[in-house]
Amino acid sequence: MSDSDGKKTLGLRGGSRPGNVKQSFSHGRTKNVVVETKRKRVVVPKPGAAKGGSGAAPSTSGSRRPAGISDAEMERRLKALQAAKAREAEEAAQREAEEKARAEERERRRAEQEAKEREQREAEERARAKAEEEERQRIAAEEAAKRAAAAPAPEAAKAERSAPNKPAPAATPRKSEREREQRPSRGKGRDDNRRSGKLTLGQATGGEGNRQRSMAAMKRKQERARQKAMGGSVEREKVVRDVQLPETIVVSELANRMAERVADVVKSLMQMGMMVTQNQSIDADTAELIIEEFGHKVTRVSDADVEDVIKEVEDKEDDLKPRPPVITIMGHVDHGKTSILDAIRNARVVAGEAGGITQHIGAYQVKTESGTTLSFLDTPGHAAFTSMRSRGAQVTDIVVLVVAADDAVMPQTIEAINHAKAAEVPMIVAINKCDKPAADPMKVRTDLLQHEVIVEQMSGEVQDVEVSAHTGQGLDELLEAIALQAEILELKANPNRAAQGAVIEAQLDVGRGPVATVLVQNGTLRQGDIFVVGEQYGKVRALINDKGERVQEAGPSVPVEVLGLNGTPEAGDVLNVTETEAQAREIAAYREQAAKDKRAAAGAATTLEQLMAKAKEDENVSELPILVKADVQGSAEAIVQAMEKIGNEEVRVRVLHSGVGAITETDVGLAEASGAPIMGFNVRANASARNTANQKGVEIRYYSVIYDLVDDVKAAASGLLSAEIRENFIGYAQIKEVFKVTGVGKVAGCLVTEGVARRSAGVRLLRDNVVIHEGTLKTLKRFKDEVSEVQSGQECGMAFENYDDIRPNDVIEIFEREEVTRTLD
């Protein structure tokens, strides 16, 4: 490229023009700065560009292309644009074709639907016409028969001849009616496109698109038409119902029981001046007036009638079959009740009980060598378990009273005798520990005479057997005595009826939920039975016998663990099998409400004066609040009863809450709010409860023997007792002379006649053996020295604190006070 081409050489200057600017500063200073000025580039098209672009080929339109794009690139872009336009046109055509196909498909479906509906309508019309024709013929035949019965024979024959021709003119209006009915239904079918592809129940049964009349409605219509044709009244006969009426009833339920419209019942109530809605309750008297107004009969029922389904039913003599006897082993603690039962069962139950004492009722079945089955209940002997022993005596047939030969009759032995007498059950005395050197069976027999228990050796009727659980002596004789007593009793029960039983023990198991040990007394309890027990109900999920095996059923006198309750029942509750779950739920709900009402009534019965008097009494009483959680219901009950006995008029133990199962966060929260410790008996706190207790500083104490728990609570309650103040007299002094000392006041010159005078002790001033002042010493001096004490026979000087009225021959009594810690008996 030469310089003569007339083109400028390429450079980097672009549009910027550099220049120098001189800056002036103070004190004559200056500075040169280089500044670049940029100019905006304006692109002006060439004069021939507009003309040439209109008719030129794409290759010649270079003047309108963006800068830096070659002809080949421009051509490629134009081709891509044309291809895109062609593709758009193709897609539009395809869409149009699809839309056309869809429209044709819709038209075809609509035509098919209309054809189908037309066929259905025609079939329905044919069926209706046929039914109407049959109805007309039947009515005509009936009318002809009536006329024939009423008119003479020639007229009857004439009526018969004219009867078939009579209904013919009625066909015309029927046809016009059909046409009138057809018109709106056809229009309706054409408009409803939404359900065009769906087959409804009405269509399937040959009805129209609208709801088809039921068979009962058709029969009612026919009956009305027949009544009208015969000239009788069309009104239905009133059905008089027996309405069961509880104490209160909801308006809608009342209407339902009378089979009347709710609106009519509400209207009647409003006419009586009661503005109520269908969801409001009304009392029985008002409901009775409404029922009588509607013409029904009233049957008054009470809420307690729900329990009528579990009424006692007398069994027939033929249905009764022999059952095993239930034997309860009772006696004083540590007399060997469980050991005797172990020896009979060849088991080791005592080793499993904490402290070697029984703290639960155990239920076992034993089969003797002769093949006789015996059901044993082992009760605790500890004083705290009175209720458990009472329950054991109530469900038993025979009581075996165990008395240790080396210990004779003890308090719980007497209590067991009383329980057996109260339950009116026969008793067998087992004199245990006869193998011990100190054993004296005759002393036991004579001691029992004091409590009106006369054994056979003392010419009485009560059997007595000398046994030793340790060596096994006399156990066979004991079993024979039990078998003999059971034979005399002739124990029978009906196994083929709904089961009834007593809850011996109940607990909340972590893995299995609420579990109840039940002794079946009548009938047979089977897996799947629905039952109610106290305030709880459930369905038998599983039955487990005393050996831990699952069984399908349990007959009379069989103890089993029942799983499937909705809550933990109280020990002593009666179990009844019901027919339905609804019955069981209703009975349980009624019992729960009744118990709640009873508790509320007990609280509400107190007057304001009684509350004030109680508050005044409790003002000086200290309370030790505790929470009790036990493994079984019986143990919790025993602990609560033991806690109620602890205390006196100054201090008492208050059980805030007692329950069955593990210690939970809820228990910890309650304990924290009331500042109470938690006593766990054979249970433990779960992890979250332990963490919460540590954070909140709540004390949780665990026990496995009831003695330890009672002793600890007693010790804690003793700590709330105020200490007893005791006075110890340590000396007497007689005033010989009274001196006045400047700055001190009156000083008594004394002779210690008895004991010792101490500076720190308390003093009383006696005049003629009457106390005229009690206080402390300001000073005690021997000669001129201040001393701490002065012995008997020595002289000293004494001055009283804030008291100066002292005279010669007055006597000073010196004493010391000490605090003595009191304990609860």
Side-chain angles (χ1 to χ4, degrees):
M1 190 183 289
S2 63
D3 293 336
S4 58
D5 290 341
K7 292 180 182 177
K8 292 179 183 178
T9 57
L10 292 170
L12 296 172
R13 284 182 65 180
S16 61
R17 292 184 179 179
N20 289 333
V21 175
K22 190 175 183 180
Q23 286 184 321
S24 298
F25 299 98
S26 61
H27 305 290
R29 290 184 295 118
T30 59
K31 184 181 178 183
N32 285 330
V33 182
V34 178
V35 179
E36 280 190 2
T37 307
K38 290 194 175 182
R39 289 189 304 165
K40 191 174 181 182
R41 183 172 179 179
V42 182
V43 180
V44 182
K46 292 179 184 180
K51 294 174 187 176
S54 59
S59 58
T60 61
S61 63
S63 59
R64 283 182 294 175
R65 72 175 66 155
I69 293 178
S70 63
D71 293 344
E73 177 65 23
M74 193 66 190
E75 194 172 345
R76 195 160 55 249
R77 287 192 180 186
L78 287 170
K79 280 181 182 176
L81 182 64
Q82 287 170 358
K85 283 181 179 176
R87 197 160 49 249
E88 277 180 13
E90 196 177 315
E91 284 175 0
Q94 192 175 349
R95 274 198 302 274
E96 194 178 339
E98 286 175 359
E99 188 64 37
K100 190 177 179 183
R102 275 199 295 272
E104 288 174 358
E105 180 66 20
R106 276 199 300 273
E107 284 297 322
R108 186 181 61 77
R109 281 186 183 173
R110 192 181 293 119
E112 283 179 3
Q113 182 65 24
E114 284 178 4
K116 194 185 290 181
E117 285 175 1
R118 204 178 302 113
E119 286 174 9
Q120 286 173 353
R121 278 196 299 275
E122 286 172 1
E124 186 187 339
E125 287 301 322
R126 283 197 297 273
R128 191 180 291 143
K130 188 177 178 183
E132 285 170 358
E133 185 65 32
E134 287 173 358
E135 180 67 18
R136 273 198 309 276
Q137 287 176 3
R138 188 175 61 77
I139 290 167
E142 284 176 3
E143 286 175 357
K146 272 184 196 171
R147 280 197 298 274
E155 288 180 14
K158 188 179 178 183
E160 275 178 20
R161 279 196 302 274
S162 61
N165 302 325
K166 259 188 179 180
T172 313
R174 293 282 181 183
K175 188 176 179 186
S176 62
E177 279 174 23
R178 282 204 303 275
E179 285 173 2
R180 203 160 49 246
E181 284 173 9
Q182 267 184 5
R183 256 182 254 122
S185 67
R186 189 158 56 239
K188 192 172 183 181
R190 193 183 299 122
D191 292 339
D192 192 9
N193 291 327
R194 290 181 295 108
R195 300 183 58 83
S196 58
K198 295 182 181 176
L199 181 66
T200 62
L201 188 64
Q203 290 170 354
T205 53
E208 296 179 11
N210 55 351
R211 186 176 170 191
Q212 190 181 5
R213 304 185 77 172
S214 66
M215 186 63 72
M218 292 293 288
K219 281 182 179 176
R220 284 197 297 272
K221 185 181 175 184
Q222 287 174 4
E223 183 65 25
R224 280 198 299 273
R226 191 169 64 81
Q227 290 281 350
K228 199 171 182 181
M230 290 173 69
S233 64
V234 186
E235 288 185 11
R236 278 189 305 153
E237 188 182 341
K238 180 81 174 178
V239 179
V240 178
R241 299 176 189 276
D242 287 327
V243 180
Q244 289 195 341
L245 184 62
E247 300 301 320
T248 58
I249 189 167
V250 179
V251 174
S252 56
E253 178 61 23
L254 177 63
N256 190 25
R257 290 185 184 187
M258 294 192 296
E260 302 285 351
R261 289 172 60 233
V262 178
D264 295 341
V265 176
V266 172
K267 186 178 175 184
S268 295
L269 284 163
M270 284 182 175
Q271 285 170 354
M272 291 168 65
M274 291 184 68
M275 299 297 149
V276 293
T277 64
Q278 63 175 357
N279 297 320
Q280 284 180 274
S281 297
I282 56 172
D283 62 298
D285 295 333
T286 309
E288 189 171 350
L289 290 172
I290 293 292
I291 293 165
E292 286 171 356
E293 188 181 323
F294 278 89
H296 299 290
K297 293 177 182 175
V298 181
T299 308
R300 283 285 188 107
V301 293
S302 127
D303 290 340
D305 292 346
V306 295
E307 297 208 25
D308 289 349
V309 293
I310 53 171
K311 274 186 177 175
E312 286 288 327
V313 180
E314 286 294 324
D315 293 309
K316 294 177 184 175
E317 194 65 36
D318 303 339
D319 297 334
L320 299 175
K321 292 178 183 176
R323 67 171 176 84
V326 178
I327 304 106
T328 301
I329 298 182
M330 301 175 87
H332 192 72
V333 65
D334 222 14
H335 274 201
K337 298 179 294 298
T338 309
S339 301
I340 287 176
L341 187 54
D342 284 354
I344 295 168
R345 293 177 65 220
N346 298 323
R348 297 286 296 161
V349 177
V350 171
E353 288 279 3
I357 64 166
T358 302
Q359 301 182 109
H360 306 94
I361 284 189
Y364 314 100
Q365 269 205 322
V366 174
K367 206 160 194 175
T368 60
E369 290 178 3
S370 60
T372 312
T373 304
L374 308 173
S375 295
F376 281 96
L377 298 181
D378 183 16
T379 64
H382 188 266
F385 295 99
T386 305
S387 300
M388 280 197 193
R389 281 192 296 281
S390 168
R391 276 197 298 279
Q394 284 166 9
V395 298
T396 192
D397 301 314
I398 301 165
V399 168
V400 174
L401 183 68
V402 177
V403 189
D406 60 343
D407 209 10
V409 175
M410 297 299 280
Q412 268 69 60
T413 314
I414 299 162
E415 192 189 283
I417 292 167
N418 294 335
H419 284 317
K421 284 181 179 176
E424 296 180 354
V425 288
M427 201 185 309
I428 296 169
V429 177
I431 303 169
N432 194 21
K433 303 187 181 180
C434 287
D435 58 318
K436 286 197 170 184
D440 188 358
M442 280 311 294
K443 185 178 184 302
V444 172
R445 294 185 180 104
T446 52
D447 282 0
L448 287 169
L449 287 171
Q450 298 173 20
H451 305 287
E452 299 173 10
V453 177
I454 306 163
V455 298
E456 285 179 343
Q457 283 203 15
M458 296 283 186
S459 305
E461 294 181 356
V462 178
Q463 296 182 77
D464 66 313
V465 184
E466 292 182 15
V467 296
S468 170
H470 190 61
T471 61
Q473 169 201 336
L475 291 177
D476 291 336
E477 288 87 342
L478 178 62
L479 291 173
E480 279 176 23
I482 291 168
L484 176 64
Q485 189 68 56
E487 200 174 321
I488 294 165
L489 292 172
E490 291 185 354
L491 301 166
K492 289 183 178 181
N494 179 11
N496 304 315
R497 56 166 284 179
Q500 183 183 345
V503 176
I504 304 298
E505 195 57 277
Q507 66 188 72
L508 186 66
D509 196 284
V510 176
R512 303 184 296 172
V515 179
T517 304
V518 175
L519 178 71
V520 181
Q521 293 169 308
N522 215 341
T524 303
L525 186 65
R526 295 180 176 83
Q527 193 169 329
D529 280 352
I530 294 158
F531 63 90
V532 61
V533 50
E535 296 172 27
Q536 313 298 334
Y537 70 95
K539 187 176 183 179
V540 179
R541 208 169 67 229
L543 294 170
I544 297 163
N545 65 10
D546 59 313
K547 298 180 186 67
E549 302 162 348
R550 287 186 74 151
V551 291
Q552 291 299 311
E553 59 181 39
S557 301
V558 177
V560 282
E561 279 190 341
V562 178
L563 278 69
L565 291 114
N566 72 326
T568 311
E570 296 288 327
D573 284 344
V574 177
L575 178 142
N576 293 96
V577 171
T578 59
E579 291 179 8
T580 63
E581 191 174 342
Q583 280 180 353
R585 195 186 299 113
E586 194 176 359
I587 294 166
Y590 163 70
R591 287 177 179 174
E592 190 177 354
Q593 187 61 42
K596 202 182 289 179
D597 293 345
K598 194 176 179 183
R599 287 194 295 270
T606 54
T607 61
L608 186 61
E609 287 80 8
Q610 288 171 325
L611 283 170
M612 295 297 286
K614 192 173 187 311
K616 200 170 183 181
E617 284 172 22
D618 294 349
E619 199 174 4
N620 301 319
V621 178
S622 300
E623 278 191 343
L624 173 66
I626 62 166
L627 265 82
V628 175
K629 291 303 284 285
D631 55 340
V632 295
Q633 193 75 43
S635 297
E637 183 185 19
I639 291 164
V640 170
Q641 287 173 357
M643 294 300 106
E644 285 170 357
K645 291 174 187 173
I646 297 172
N648 55 20
E649 65 279 355
E650 289 180 50
V651 65
R652 63 170 169 237
V653 178
R654 185 174 168 216
V655 180
L656 296 173
H657 170 68
S658 66
V660 176
I663 297 164
T664 61
E665 277 189 87
T666 312
D667 300 324
V668 174
L670 178 58
E672 186 211 7
S674 52
I678 300 173
M679 306 293 180
F681 186 76
N682 284 334
V683 293
R684 292 290 178 268
N686 56 37
S688 59
R690 276 199 303 273
N691 296 336
T692 310
N694 291 337
Q695 288 168 10
K696 296 181 177 178
V698 174
E699 184 184 9
I700 300 176
R701 307 189 81 168
Y702 301 120
Y703 299 92
S704 55
V705 179
I706 197 166
Y707 294 124
D708 301 338
L709 190 150
V710 173
D711 291 346
D712 278 11
V713 173
K714 202 176 279 185
S718 300
L720 294 175
L721 287 170
S722 55
E724 187 182 342
I725 308 296
R726 253 183 220 164
E727 286 186 358
N728 295 326
F729 297 105
I730 59 172
Y732 288 91
Q734 190 170 11
I735 299 174
K736 296 293 186 185
E737 195 62 57
V738 178
F739 307 99
K740 283 187 179 180
V741 178
T742 309
V744 178
K746 285 187 179 180
V747 176
C750 306
L751 173 67
V752 180
T753 57
E754 189 182 324
V756 63
R758 285 204 182 96
R759 169 80 177 78
S760 59
V763 289
R764 289 192 188 96
L765 185 64
L766 308 178
R767 189 172 293 158
D768 299 328
N769 290 323
V770 176
V771 178
I772 59 170
H773 173 69
E774 182 177 330
T776 56
L777 291 174
K778 190 198 298 184
T779 179
L780 177 65
K781 288 191 176 183
R782 173 112 169 98
F783 301 111
K784 290 187 178 181
D785 301 326
E786 188 78 31
V787 291
S788 61
E789 66 177 42
V790 177
Q791 296 296 325
S792 174
Q794 295 180 349
E795 292 182 341
C796 62
M798 292 184 193
F800 287 85
E801 195 84 56
N802 302 325
Y803 190 75
D804 279 345
D805 183 20
I806 50 177
R807 300 174 192 175
N809 296 322
D810 286 351
V811 176
I812 297 171
E813 186 179 75
I814 303 124
F815 63 89
E816 282 183 340
R817 286 191 177 99
E818 66 170 343
E819 288 188 353
V820 180
T821 306
R822 293 159 66 202
T823 56
L824 289 166
D825 297 332

